[in-house]
Amino acid sequence: MRAAPIGAFFAGDPARVVEEATASAVVTHFHREGQAGAIAVALAASWAAKHEGDLLPFVVKWMPEGVTRSLIAEAAEVPLTHEPWRVAPRVGAGARGVGGGTVAFSRWC
């Protein structure tokens, strides 16, 4: 809930988006993957404000290494013509207990 406004406010400066999203998430998400979820949401909001290229490649480019980044990179490979119910098992939608999956699936949607 804090990440999207951060991305919009710092749109055009992805490095700053990552820095600020991490700082906002660390108080409630000590695990790096929790912070990565906030970073992904902030980057998506930043992209929405500026529309620089395609969304998922932009997010992947600026994400820190980890499960969330890997799942978003996989989601970027899925054509947007696929039905969501076919995509969810591939990238995750929360059933595996990995937050990165829900972030990847929601970014794909």
Side-chain angles (χ1 to χ4, degrees):
M1 81 181 117
R2 298 177 299 263
I6 288 169
F9 187 81
F10 293 106
D13 188 352
R16 183 79 186 267
V17 169
V18 170
E19 177 185 335
E20 298 294 338
T22 303
S24 77
V26 74
V27 296
T28 55
H29 296 76
F30 184 71
H31 195 277
R32 287 187 47 201
E33 292 301 325
Q35 295 167 21
I39 292 167
V41 170
L43 286 167
S46 174
W47 175 88
K50 295 290 184 181
H51 294 300
E52 299 170 350
D54 293 328
L55 171 63
L56 294 179
F58 172 81
V59 172
V60 170
K61 177 181 177 181
W62 292 97
M63 288 290 298
E65 292 293 326
V67 173
T68 303
R69 182 182 189 276
S70 296
L71 291 170
I72 295 170
E74 186 164 342
E77 299 298 318
V78 179
L80 296 177
T81 56
H82 278 48
E83 294 90 357
W85 60 272
R86 292 183 189 263
V87 178
R90 181 170 172 183
V91 301
R96 293 186 260 174
V98 178
T102 58
V103 171
F105 182 64
S106 65
R107 293 317 93 187
W108 179 86
C109 287

